[in-house]
Amino acid sequence: MKTRNYFLTFGCVITALMIAFILLGYFWTPCDPMKMDGSVRESAPTLAHLMGTDKFGRDILSRVMKGAGATFFVAFGTVLIGTAVGTLVGALTGYFGGWLDEVLMRFNDALTAFPGFLLALVLVSVLGPGRRHLLLALGIVFIPSYARIVRTEFERARSQNYVKSAQLMGASTARILFVHILPNIWPVLLSAITIGFNNAVLAEAAMSYLGIGVSPDEASLGYMLSDSQAYLATTPWYALGAGLVIVLLILGVGLIGEGLQRKDL
Amino acid sequence: MRYTAKKIGTLLLTMVLVSVFVFLAFSLLSGDAATRLLGTEATPERLAALREELGLDKPLIVRYADWLAALLRGDMGISYQYRLPVAQLVSERLRPTLTLTAMAFALIVLLSIPIGVVTAKYAGGWLDRVVTVVGQLLMSVPPFFTGILFTYLFGLVLRLFVPGSFPAAEAGGLRFLGYLFFPALAIALPRVAMTVRLLRGCILDEAQKDYVRTSMARGRSRGDILYRHVLKNTLVPLVTFLALTVAELAAGGVIIEQVFSIPGLGRLLISAISNRDAPVVQAVVTLVAFWVVLCNLAGDLLGRRIDPRLRGGEGGDE
């Protein structure tokens, strides 16, 4: 029975559009996102300003494009750190086992029980503002969950025949770990990556909404949302523009993750 | 018994790790609290005196031990920012946060269980598809954005509540609950979607099992089997998931309190973080850790209470 995987299709379309939107924002925006134009303060959406302008007369669409780029950068970097370090730790502990594995996993269990967002919040606040610090803090906090997922898979793979035959043929450990086992756990890892990416987007937006880890003049989706709240009665489109971009970003990747899970059922 | 002891051990480790982490992060990275409090122009004598007063002149490990010992006695220290006992600051802000969490949890349970059961019962039908699509959408909207949309729609357009004016404790319980309803709904919605998805999946998995087929062959109706057998077997994963949800609501509440200006623990935490008020941050984060640990343990013990099979392995390796 072959049914179309609408989740995957829609997810890919939305994500592709969002990536195009973000890439465009890196090179070109309709207006200068920093330029304040006194003549069009708090203007409703018009042809010149598709999402309207804020209280300083800055073009909201241009700022949303820049902000989405920043969010994407943080989320991408977070997932990269989390997956890279988490996979390495998970692969080594899962494959070799032993006391180090036991100790690390006890720590891991203890840490994953706690909401990572709060730890990242504390870490960012002491590291000081800046996008790199935010990325670093979130990345570190994301490592345990990836390590745990990867460890389970490597532990299972250890006793399987293809790994045993690779060992008998004299393949090096590094080769077994990353050329033989890693591709086999790819589906599991990919699904974890989509979930992690969305959590990172949420965390970045929430953190910048709270005003922690960003400076006010940088365009950032979360900061724009918190800024927009004060003008909700007069300029509701401000909140809508910034919020919708976050929603679409999460929705696209979420649909891809859902679609991937349904495929292997 | 061994299992429970092991579980409690892990959970205690969670609390210790979290508190050490917060303690270290603040002590090592955030600089000298005395200088920040008195400004850079303070005389060395006054700085030294304040350091001694705050206990900052002692080595780190002694300070941690002192802090832990005081905490166990119920003393959480003095806030740098407010110059008030942290215990007092925290207890004043506990009520809104706990009410918000309880309301959000009640909404999650009341909405997700009926919806989950109905979608599983009519899986593949139009209702199931609508719920799946709506659920996917709800999971993509961050609660603080939902909160802003609610503020606009219910606060500014429909005027059901006045945004930003949290009713004082004397204003009466009903207005208090009324104000908290929309923030509670905002944090509940994405979690309702997650719970529905989990419950639907569990029911459908369970319905594949042999005993269901046997019951059907004996002529029992589908509804009868669903309510009498299948649902009971999905209780354990559901309870575990709900326990995790209550734990995570503690973190979700931090942001939503900011959106609706609710004077709760979350706002206290954010203001303490921005002002580097280490005693308050340590106290609140440790409290949240305690809450998380408690929820995890409760979920686990409840699960074992519900399903005797989980208790069977006692004395074994797990």
Side-chain angles (χ1 to χ4, degrees), chain A residues 1-10 13 259 262-263:
Chain A
M1 189 177 81
K2 186 160 167 61
T3 51
R4 288 193 58 149
N5 194 331
Y6 287 107
F7 287 99
L8 204 56
T9 318
F10 277 112
V13 169
R262 301 220 166 185
K263 205 173 80 180

Side-chain angles (χ1 to χ4, degrees), chain A residues 163-175:
Chain A
V163 176
K164 284 188 183 152
S165 19
Q167 285 167 344
L168 287 175
M169 282 195 283
S172 72
T173 309
R175 194 177 160 81

Side-chain angles (χ1 to χ4, degrees), chain A:
Chain A
M1 189 177 81
K2 186 160 167 61
T3 51
R4 288 193 58 149
N5 194 331
Y6 287 107
F7 287 99
L8 204 56
T9 318
F10 277 112
C12 287
V13 169
I14 295 175
T15 308
L17 287 176
M18 287 316 289
I19 290 178
F21 178 75
I22 287 163
L23 281 180
L24 183 67
Y26 277 121
F27 300 109
W28 177 83
T29 50
C31 302
D32 178 357
M34 296 300 167
K35 201 185 111 212
M36 302 181 191
D37 184 352
S39 60
V40 285
R41 268 184 217 160
E42 297 190 7
S43 130
T46 58
L47 273 182
H49 302 283
L50 287 174
M51 284 186 185
T53 56
D54 67 4
K55 62 183 160 172
F56 298 117
R58 294 180 295 198
D59 181 50
I60 291 173
L61 178 62
S62 309
R63 291 182 70 76
V64 166
M65 287 170 93
K66 283 285 181 215
T71 302
F72 189 82
F73 169 74
V74 171
F76 190 79
T78 301
V79 170
L80 206 64
I81 293 180
T83 329
V85 182
T87 304
L88 197 64
V89 173
L92 294 177
T93 53
Y95 187 73
F96 291 112
W99 66 268
L100 188 67
D101 170 49
E102 187 69 22
V103 170
L104 275 179
M105 281 307 125
R106 284 288 148 266
F107 270 90
N108 213 329
D109 284 349
L111 267 184
T112 39
F114 192 77
F117 175 71
L118 286 186
L119 289 188
L121 203 63
V122 173
L123 206 53
V124 170
S125 69
V126 290
L127 284 174
R131 209 145 261 147
R132 286 201 180 79
H133 289 153
L134 188 59
L135 197 159
L136 190 67
L138 285 174
I140 292 174
V141 168
F142 274 47
I143 292 170
S145 61
Y146 285 104
R148 187 211 282 262
I149 294 165
V150 172
R151 193 199 88 102
T152 316
E153 294 300 314
F154 270 81
E155 199 186 20
R156 187 179 304 151
R158 187 169 59 177
S159 54
Q160 280 180 6
N161 283 334
Y162 74 91
V163 176
K164 284 188 183 152
S165 19
Q167 285 167 344
L168 287 175
M169 282 195 283
S172 72
T173 309
R175 194 177 160 81
I176 293 176
L177 286 182
F178 299 109
V179 180
H180 291 279
I181 304 181
L182 194 60
N184 276 301
I185 70 159
W186 187 237
V188 179
L189 199 58
L190 201 60
S191 155
I193 287 176
T194 60
I195 296 171
F197 179 85
N198 278 352
N199 285 336
V201 170
L202 268 176
E204 193 276 342
M207 214 88 89
S208 52
Y209 175 83
L210 294 172
I212 287 171
V214 284
S215 49
D217 43 293
E218 273 177 294
S220 135
L221 294 178
Y223 187 79
M224 288 174 78
L225 272 176
S226 93
D227 192 36
S228 76
Q229 257 193 295
Y231 309 94
L232 205 53
T234 50
T235 59
W237 53 84
Y238 186 7
L240 217 54
L244 278 183
V245 170
I246 302 180
V247 172
L248 286 176
L249 208 55
I250 296 177
L251 182 65
V253 177
L255 286 176
I256 292 181
E258 188 74 26
L260 286 175
Q261 277 174 4
R262 301 220 166 185
K263 205 173 80 180
D264 45 52
L265 273 181

Side-chain angles (χ1 to χ4, degrees), chain B residues 208-278:
Chain B
Q208 301 278 325
K209 293 204 172 153
D210 288 346
Y211 75 88
V212 175
R213 199 183 47 201
T214 312
S215 297
M216 292 244 258
R218 292 180 61 190
R220 304 271 297 277
S221 76
R222 287 178 64 101
D224 206 32
I225 302 170
L226 176 66
Y227 294 119
R228 279 167 177 250
H229 301 290
V230 172
L231 273 188
K232 278 186 192 166
N233 278 304
T234 56
L235 262 181
V236 174
L238 184 67
V239 164
T240 315
F241 186 78
L242 285 177
L244 270 179
T245 305
V246 192
E248 279 173 11
L249 283 178
V254 171
I255 308 151
I256 215 74
E257 280 180 13
Q258 204 77 7
V259 179
F260 287 88
S261 346
I262 299 165
L265 276 190
R267 288 201 93 186
L268 181 68
L269 179 67
I270 297 302
S271 106
I273 282 179
S274 329
N275 292 304
R276 303 282 169 101
D277 193 346

Side-chain angles (χ1 to χ4, degrees), chain B residues 60-78:
Chain B
L60 207 57
I61 187 142
V62 176
R63 273 160 55 198
Y64 181 74
D66 283 351
W67 174 77
L68 198 64
L71 187 72
L72 293 177
R73 276 183 273 118
D75 173 13
M76 299 187 213
I78 307 284

